[in-house]
Amino acid sequence: MEPVSSAPDAPARDASSLDVERLRADFPILSEEVNGEPLVYLDNAATSQKPRQVLEAISGYYASDNANVHRGIHELSRRATDAFEGARQRVARFLGTEDPGEVIWTRGTTEAINLVASSWGGANVGEGDEIVLSDMEHHSNLVPWQLLAARTGARLRFVELADDGTLALEGLAELLSERTKLVALTQVSNSLGTINPIREIADQVHDAGALLLVDGAQGAAHAPVDVASLGADFYAFSGHKMCGPTGIGALWARRELLEAMPPYQGGGEMISLVERHASTWADLPHKFEAGTPNIAGAVGMAAALDYLEGVGHHQILRHEQALVAHAMERLSQVEGLRMFGPADPTRRAGVVSFVMEEAHAHDIATILDSKGIAVRAGHHCTQLVMKRYGVPATARASFYLYNTHEEVDRFADALGRVQSIFG
Ligand code: 7TS
């Protein structure tokens, strides 16, 4: 995902053509009241809300097709298997690959990265080898590599953060060497909103002979992904941040990489022949899918991808950037408020992270909650980011396709109230 710039004289309000009022009607939860006020849901980087179409796909699957997959020869098992494998094909199409065998179902981004660290890392990384990460990474794209480094004696190295919340990429060349086995970076920062120039980074990584893992947890939600043109070797993402259910996500990798990797977990489904002391493995993708999978989750994730395609997935980032521009303008008028991340909204996805001089991030979130406004406060599982900017926590508003400019105004008005209580 490259930055989306609006035309210089485009109206600041909204350059997208999303019909937000019509979309909002698809999300039952958005008509809830919270603490006596209409809900303003601005915690989308944690998880998105789910449209009726996804809820109906999940309940329809359980109501009419439920059975275990790849097992029975009965009709329901056939239907469940078709729905499950059809969902895999849907994810493959979303990622721009024609080979559904390259799509491994996981619980989400976290499990996808752990799979790579454990299986690929265990087979390919040894003492003295290096893995390059950045100070922007979610703990999901940091701790699995720390565990691998502790097991193997490999060394972790870090791309630093510049003052403006972008990666200090001028330092990348120095970090890459013949010892570098893998570079693992997020596509979009969950705590700063920064969109990273993955395509350019990919060329540098490949020139150095290393592989590139892209954490797409925050990237896939905002714009369509084409793994080949992105230059990723591994791509990990979660359904729940893109209108799908929790507990389902996927790892994509090139077939030859997956073929060469050992299994991640052992159990049913992932074997071909089992004897007392040895077994052989099933073909891709089943080699990496031990046990009964999250069938309804896969069905829901496919429905979410259909939904996003239907509304115009390529429009979402532009809509969020219009909301971010509006929010940044309003927040810049609140006394004692400091924002983090790129000043240019076209270099961000829909995230605004900030602190206020007098109020702790948790106090801000509590006061906003009393007005029906949901934001997240804390380190956002990015403690290296907090350390870099010298704060223990930030408050974070994160926008999605169904958020409106009126909601941004309610949020900013409520921050004015926080300021008057604490200021
Ligand atoms: N990577 C990034 C960049 C993320 O933002 C998250 C979740 C993950 C990985 C992990 O995804 P999971 O689906 O496996 O949990 N981020 C957040 C967040 O910002 N607030 O709550 C979860």
Side-chain angles (χ1 to χ4, degrees), residues 45-46 108-111 138 140 186 188 190 215 217-218 238 240-241 376 380 396:
T109 308
T110 304
E111 190 181 40
H138 188 280
S140 297
T186 192
V188 172
N190 67 314
D215 171 348
Q218 298 291 342
S238 302
H240 70 97
K241 294 194 200 281
R376 184 169 174 193
H380 316 294
R396 177 187 72 180

mmCIF file of all heavy atoms in Angstrom, residues 45-46 108-111 138 140 186 188 190 215 217-218 238 240-241 376 380 396, ligand 1:
data_model
loop_
_atom_site.group_PDB
_atom_site.id
_atom_site.type_symbol
_atom_site.label_atom_id
_atom_site.label_comp_id
_atom_site.label_asym_id
_atom_site.label_seq_id
_atom_site.Cartn_x
_atom_site.Cartn_y
_atom_site.Cartn_z
ATOM 1 N N ALA A 45 -8.565 -0.171 15.062
ATOM 2 C CA ALA A 45 -7.259 -0.826 14.925
ATOM 3 C C ALA A 45 -7.182 -2.029 15.863
ATOM 4 O O ALA A 45 -6.400 -2.953 15.634
ATOM 5 C CB ALA A 45 -6.137 0.162 15.219
ATOM 6 N N ALA A 46 -7.994 -2.026 16.927
ATOM 7 C CA ALA A 46 -8.039 -3.198 17.815
ATOM 8 C C ALA A 46 -8.884 -4.285 17.169
ATOM 9 O O ALA A 46 -8.446 -5.427 17.024
ATOM 10 C CB ALA A 46 -8.601 -2.821 19.176
ATOM 11 N N GLY A 108 -4.871 -15.931 13.313
ATOM 12 C CA GLY A 108 -4.739 -14.511 13.019
ATOM 13 C C GLY A 108 -3.285 -14.204 12.715
ATOM 14 O O GLY A 108 -2.470 -15.115 12.485
ATOM 15 N N THR A 109 -2.962 -12.931 12.724
ATOM 16 C CA THR A 109 -1.603 -12.490 12.401
ATOM 17 C C THR A 109 -0.588 -13.097 13.366
ATOM 18 O O THR A 109 0.486 -13.556 12.964
ATOM 19 C CB THR A 109 -1.540 -10.952 12.500
ATOM 20 O OG1 THR A 109 -2.590 -10.402 11.713
ATOM 21 C CG2 THR A 109 -0.209 -10.426 12.026
ATOM 22 N N THR A 110 -0.929 -13.077 14.644
ATOM 23 C CA THR A 110 0.007 -13.555 15.670
ATOM 24 C C THR A 110 0.411 -14.996 15.394
ATOM 25 O O THR A 110 1.604 -15.338 15.406
ATOM 26 C CB THR A 110 -0.638 -13.449 17.060
ATOM 27 O OG1 THR A 110 -1.037 -12.095 17.267
ATOM 28 C CG2 THR A 110 0.313 -13.885 18.158
ATOM 29 N N GLU A 111 -0.575 -15.847 15.125
ATOM 30 C CA GLU A 111 -0.225 -17.246 14.886
ATOM 31 C C GLU A 111 0.526 -17.402 13.571
ATOM 32 O O GLU A 111 1.426 -18.236 13.461
ATOM 33 C CB GLU A 111 -1.460 -18.148 14.900
ATOM 34 C CG GLU A 111 -1.028 -19.603 14.891
ATOM 35 C CD GLU A 111 -2.189 -20.591 14.887
ATOM 36 O OE1 GLU A 111 -3.193 -20.341 14.181
ATOM 37 O OE2 GLU A 111 -2.073 -21.610 15.578
ATOM 38 N N HIS A 138 4.506 -4.296 16.310
ATOM 39 C CA HIS A 138 3.605 -4.855 17.329
ATOM 40 C C HIS A 138 4.349 -6.019 18.001
ATOM 41 O O HIS A 138 5.150 -6.697 17.350
ATOM 42 C CB HIS A 138 2.347 -5.361 16.616
ATOM 43 C CG HIS A 138 1.237 -5.793 17.510
ATOM 44 N ND1 HIS A 138 1.218 -7.025 18.129
ATOM 45 C CD2 HIS A 138 0.098 -5.170 17.878
ATOM 46 C CE1 HIS A 138 0.099 -7.139 18.841
ATOM 47 N NE2 HIS A 138 -0.595 -6.026 18.710
ATOM 48 N N SER A 140 3.559 -8.848 18.433
ATOM 49 C CA SER A 140 3.375 -10.086 17.645
ATOM 50 C C SER A 140 4.465 -10.282 16.615
ATOM 51 O O SER A 140 4.680 -11.396 16.149
ATOM 52 C CB SER A 140 2.075 -10.031 16.847
ATOM 53 O OG SER A 140 0.995 -9.957 17.671
ATOM 54 N N THR A 186 6.096 -4.273 9.696
ATOM 55 C CA THR A 186 4.666 -4.044 9.549
ATOM 56 C C THR A 186 4.392 -3.167 8.331
ATOM 57 O O THR A 186 5.181 -2.270 8.007
ATOM 58 C CB THR A 186 4.074 -3.425 10.831
ATOM 59 O OG1 THR A 186 2.651 -3.476 10.728
ATOM 60 C CG2 THR A 186 4.493 -1.990 11.062
ATOM 61 N N VAL A 188 1.611 -1.271 8.105
ATOM 62 C CA VAL A 188 1.046 -0.043 8.688
ATOM 63 C C VAL A 188 1.209 -0.140 10.199
ATOM 64 O O VAL A 188 0.916 -1.181 10.797
ATOM 65 C CB VAL A 188 -0.458 0.089 8.350
ATOM 66 C CG1 VAL A 188 -1.094 1.241 9.107
ATOM 67 C CG2 VAL A 188 -0.674 0.268 6.843
ATOM 68 N N ASN A 190 0.264 0.189 13.970
ATOM 69 C CA ASN A 190 -1.010 0.249 14.694
ATOM 70 C C ASN A 190 -1.042 1.373 15.722
ATOM 71 O O ASN A 190 -2.105 1.796 16.141
ATOM 72 C CB ASN A 190 -1.300 -1.083 15.404
ATOM 73 C CG ASN A 190 -0.336 -1.362 16.529
ATOM 74 O OD1 ASN A 190 0.877 -1.196 16.368
ATOM 75 N ND2 ASN A 190 -0.829 -1.771 17.673
ATOM 76 N N ASP A 215 3.908 -7.886 8.067
ATOM 77 C CA ASP A 215 2.795 -7.982 9.011
ATOM 78 C C ASP A 215 1.675 -7.102 8.452
ATOM 79 O O ASP A 215 1.757 -5.870 8.495
ATOM 80 C CB ASP A 215 3.277 -7.489 10.384
ATOM 81 C CG ASP A 215 2.141 -7.343 11.390
ATOM 82 O OD1 ASP A 215 0.964 -7.406 10.981
ATOM 83 O OD2 ASP A 215 2.437 -7.153 12.576
ATOM 84 N N ALA A 217 -1.486 -6.999 9.451
ATOM 85 C CA ALA A 217 -2.652 -6.898 10.351
ATOM 86 C C ALA A 217 -3.386 -5.580 10.151
ATOM 87 O O ALA A 217 -4.610 -5.539 10.119
ATOM 88 C CB ALA A 217 -2.221 -7.041 11.804
ATOM 89 N N GLN A 218 -2.636 -4.490 10.015
ATOM 90 C CA GLN A 218 -3.267 -3.180 9.844
ATOM 91 C C GLN A 218 -3.327 -2.771 8.377
ATOM 92 O O GLN A 218 -3.981 -1.796 8.049
ATOM 93 C CB GLN A 218 -2.498 -2.097 10.630
ATOM 94 C CG GLN A 218 -2.447 -2.304 12.126
ATOM 95 C CD GLN A 218 -3.807 -2.119 12.799
ATOM 96 O OE1 GLN A 218 -4.732 -1.529 12.257
ATOM 97 N NE2 GLN A 218 -3.929 -2.661 14.005
ATOM 98 N N SER A 238 -5.126 -10.743 9.717
ATOM 99 C CA SER A 238 -6.224 -11.202 10.579
ATOM 100 C C SER A 238 -7.565 -10.812 9.977
ATOM 101 O O SER A 238 -7.720 -9.682 9.497
ATOM 102 C CB SER A 238 -6.147 -10.522 11.958
ATOM 103 O OG SER A 238 -4.923 -10.790 12.587
ATOM 104 N N HIS A 240 -10.374 -10.294 11.710
ATOM 105 C CA HIS A 240 -11.232 -9.457 12.561
ATOM 106 C C HIS A 240 -10.985 -7.964 12.413
ATOM 107 O O HIS A 240 -11.808 -7.166 12.849
ATOM 108 C CB HIS A 240 -11.078 -9.870 14.033
ATOM 109 C CG HIS A 240 -9.755 -9.529 14.648
ATOM 110 N ND1 HIS A 240 -9.587 -8.402 15.396
ATOM 111 C CD2 HIS A 240 -8.551 -10.152 14.625
ATOM 112 C CE1 HIS A 240 -8.331 -8.359 15.821
ATOM 113 N NE2 HIS A 240 -7.682 -9.409 15.363
ATOM 114 N N LYS A 241 -9.858 -7.588 11.816
ATOM 115 C CA LYS A 241 -9.610 -6.150 11.625
ATOM 116 C C LYS A 241 -10.200 -5.659 10.308
ATOM 117 O O LYS A 241 -10.093 -4.489 9.975
ATOM 118 C CB LYS A 241 -8.113 -5.865 11.675
ATOM 119 C CG LYS A 241 -7.528 -6.136 13.065
ATOM 120 C CD LYS A 241 -6.170 -5.546 13.210
ATOM 121 C CE LYS A 241 -5.381 -6.180 14.330
ATOM 122 N NZ LYS A 241 -5.753 -5.687 15.647
ATOM 123 N N ARG A 376 -8.854 3.474 22.309
ATOM 124 C CA ARG A 376 -7.976 2.636 23.123
ATOM 125 C C ARG A 376 -6.931 3.512 23.803
ATOM 126 O O ARG A 376 -6.452 4.483 23.212
ATOM 127 C CB ARG A 376 -7.280 1.580 22.260
ATOM 128 C CG ARG A 376 -6.434 0.639 23.099
ATOM 129 C CD ARG A 376 -5.919 -0.573 22.363
ATOM 130 N NE ARG A 376 -5.001 -1.294 23.260
ATOM 131 C CZ ARG A 376 -4.178 -2.250 22.890
ATOM 132 N NH1 ARG A 376 -4.140 -2.646 21.644
ATOM 133 N NH2 ARG A 376 -3.372 -2.837 23.759
ATOM 134 N N HIS A 380 -0.551 -0.153 23.293
ATOM 135 C CA HIS A 380 -0.998 -0.724 22.019
ATOM 136 C C HIS A 380 -0.093 -1.874 21.564
ATOM 137 O O HIS A 380 0.098 -2.085 20.364
ATOM 138 C CB HIS A 380 -1.085 0.355 20.924
ATOM 139 C CG HIS A 380 -1.726 1.628 21.401
ATOM 140 N ND1 HIS A 380 -3.044 1.692 21.774
ATOM 141 C CD2 HIS A 380 -1.207 2.859 21.639
ATOM 142 C CE1 HIS A 380 -3.316 2.914 22.192
ATOM 143 N NE2 HIS A 380 -2.222 3.645 22.139
ATOM 144 N N ARG A 396 -5.623 6.480 21.580
ATOM 145 C CA ARG A 396 -5.606 6.252 20.130
ATOM 146 C C ARG A 396 -7.026 6.172 19.583
ATOM 147 O O ARG A 396 -7.819 5.374 20.040
ATOM 148 C CB ARG A 396 -4.887 4.932 19.840
ATOM 149 C CG ARG A 396 -4.868 4.564 18.366
ATOM 150 C CD ARG A 396 -4.313 3.169 18.129
ATOM 151 N NE ARG A 396 -5.247 2.141 18.564
ATOM 152 C CZ ARG A 396 -5.032 0.834 18.471
ATOM 153 N NH1 ARG A 396 -3.890 0.386 17.997
ATOM 154 N NH2 ARG A 396 -5.931 -0.036 18.875
HETATM 155 N N1 7TS B 1 0.397 -6.723 14.061
HETATM 156 C C1 7TS B 1 -0.149 -5.496 14.118
HETATM 157 C C2 7TS B 1 0.475 -4.370 13.355
HETATM 158 C C3 7TS B 1 -1.303 -5.298 14.884
HETATM 159 O O1 7TS B 1 -1.860 -4.088 14.928
HETATM 160 C C4 7TS B 1 -1.874 -6.393 15.586
HETATM 161 C C5 7TS B 1 -3.060 -6.224 16.488
HETATM 162 C C6 7TS B 1 -1.275 -7.643 15.455
HETATM 163 C C7 7TS B 1 -0.128 -7.770 14.699
HETATM 164 C C8 7TS B 1 -1.835 -8.853 16.100
HETATM 165 O O2 7TS B 1 -3.022 -9.236 15.459
HETATM 166 P P1 7TS B 1 -3.909 -10.421 16.048
HETATM 167 O O3 7TS B 1 -5.152 -10.368 15.220
HETATM 168 O O4 7TS B 1 -3.141 -11.677 15.870
HETATM 169 O O5 7TS B 1 -4.140 -10.091 17.477
HETATM 170 N N2 7TS B 1 -3.224 -4.905 16.960
HETATM 171 C C9 7TS B 1 -4.046 -4.516 17.966
HETATM 172 C C10 7TS B 1 -4.167 -3.179 18.339
HETATM 173 O O6 7TS B 1 -3.595 -2.247 17.799
HETATM 174 N N3 7TS B 1 -5.049 -3.099 19.352
HETATM 175 O O7 7TS B 1 -5.468 -4.329 19.656
HETATM 176 C C11 7TS B 1 -4.855 -5.232 18.796
#
